[in-house]
Amino acid sequence: MTYDRDHDPARESDEQFPVGPSKWLRTITHGSRISRDMSPARSRDEDRLALAGFVLNARRLVDAGHHEAARKELEQHLGSMSFDGSTNDPVLIDALMLYASLEPGPRQFAAAAFAYRSTQQWSGHQLVRRIDAARLFGRVAHSLGQYRYAIAARSVLLELVRPLEHDSLAALVAQADLAGSLHRLGRCGEASRHADRAWQQWRGRCTADLPVGSRLSTGYAHILAGCQRRADLQQLLAEIRTAHPRADELLPFLRDRSFLDGAVAEHHRVCAGQLDLSGLIAVEQEDDFSC
């Protein structure tokens, strides 16, 4: 699989993500300055331990449902950080990913991009963080309408999770999410092929996992409805009804016609029912995800 590197934020210059003056974590982040209220004598290990404590406390708040309190906890320590440069510190990456999952708006994008950019070369036992960073940045970019960034990150994510035999469902979800971003950018031919490939793989092998099946089928139906491919949509609905004895759980919108009507109205301005078959992202036909 290939992706459009012209829009890969990992290759963007640092000034693409200016946020403000950095105040702390001088020993953790390249180019940062230590805060005035932090003792210069503090060691790198002490700084990392302190940050790890803040992250742990914030996660406990999130688990308890106190998302705003968790955001404020991290804001005290990361709110003035500049997101230029990069870091090789996993503790700071964990902090930034949690912060980006809680902080709305431009700072959310900048924090997620920083984590994604910093982990591009990570492998081995750090591969999990690289995957998490790509998944997070793809989701954040998509939610903020930055679809070119989302496509780049989600293409990387799909390449990373495909070889993971222990988590083949992650590859199906990654492919479906990539399809969603392609669709929102009007690249409908690529979007429908990725969505169909993920759905057919689940249908053939993974029918025990209803939540994933629902996510894949809903996303695929949204694409077909938006592109006004009514015959293909009817075929999908027929496949859903035969895919599992509890088919109604796969597609809640079968009972809500407004979902499909909304999909058509939302996407009509982008593709106007015209199918783009000149996809730039190839769907590997030999891919086989075992569940």
Side-chain angles (χ1 to χ4, degrees), residues 4-280:
D4 188 354
R5 288 187 175 273
D6 290 341
H7 301 290
D8 185 351
R11 296 163 57 90
E12 297 285 354
S13 60
D14 292 341
E15 57 266 22
Q16 288 290 326
F17 307 104
V19 179
S22 176
K23 293 176 59 180
W24 92 308
L25 297 175
R26 173 175 55 85
T27 58
I28 294 179
T29 310
H30 305 328
S32 295
R33 298 190 301 277
I34 203 159
S35 173
R36 297 185 184 90
D37 59 354
M38 299 287 288
S39 168
R42 289 180 66 100
S43 70
R44 173 186 172 88
D45 289 341
E46 287 175 324
D47 283 343
R48 294 178 76 250
L49 184 61
L51 183 59
F54 298 138
V55 173
L56 180 60
N57 188 50
R59 282 178 173 161
R60 287 171 175 166
L61 289 169
V62 169
D63 290 342
H66 305 305
H67 291 197
E68 180 61 18
R71 187 194 67 78
K72 290 180 178 178
E73 173 78 12
L74 292 170
E75 177 74 18
Q76 297 179 56
H77 311 289
L78 300 175
S80 298
M81 178 180 170
S82 173
F83 296 119
D84 55 358
S86 62
T87 183
N88 59 5
D89 191 281
V91 175
L92 180 56
I93 292 296
D94 287 347
L96 286 167
M97 286 195 292
L98 183 57
Y99 179 62
S101 71
L102 299 169
E103 174 70 18
R107 286 190 61 76
Q108 178 189 39
F109 181 84
F114 183 94
Y116 173 69
R117 189 169 63 245
S118 296
T119 57
Q120 283 297 289
Q121 303 304 318
W122 290 17
S123 59
H125 69 282
Q126 296 286 23
L127 181 61
V128 172
R129 282 188 175 89
R130 183 182 176 189
I131 289 172
D132 288 344
R135 181 181 290 115
L136 173 65
F137 185 56
R139 183 173 71 247
V140 169
H142 183 93
S143 69
L144 295 175
Q146 300 290 335
Y147 301 122
R148 294 185 185 278
Y149 288 111
I151 289 168
R154 287 174 165 179
S155 297
V156 169
L157 175 63
L158 183 56
E159 292 179 344
L160 292 174
V161 298
R162 268 179 166 160
L164 303 181
E165 295 180 0
H166 67 279
D167 195 7
S168 58
L169 287 175
L172 300 185
V173 172
Q175 190 161 28
D177 288 346
L178 173 59
S181 295
L182 288 164
H183 177 244
R184 293 303 295 266
L185 199 62
R187 293 163 63 172
C188 302
E190 298 165 83
S192 61
R193 289 197 295 277
H194 278 287
D196 181 70
R197 184 63 177 166
W199 163 248
Q200 297 300 339
Q201 286 286 342
W202 181 89
R203 183 185 174 209
R205 296 176 175 268
C206 310
T207 51
D209 195 303
L210 280 175
V212 171
S214 179
R215 181 170 177 174
L216 301 184
S217 59
T218 300
Y220 190 13
H222 193 283
I223 290 170
L224 294 177
C227 294
Q228 302 182 54
R229 294 174 56 182
R230 303 183 189 282
D232 291 329
L233 179 58
Q234 290 303 317
Q235 175 63 33
L236 173 62
L237 297 181
E239 291 176 358
I240 290 171
R241 292 188 177 97
T242 60
H244 198 279
R246 292 153 59 192
D248 60 322
E249 296 181 31
L250 284 175
L251 260 163
F253 66 72
L254 283 173
R255 301 185 297 272
D256 182 8
R257 186 65 198 179
S258 63
F259 174 90
L260 296 182
D261 293 339
V264 172
E266 172 186 310
H267 196 64
H268 182 78
R269 67 184 188 279
V270 176
C271 68
Q274 300 301 311
L275 183 61
D276 174 14
L277 296 177
S278 59
L280 299 178

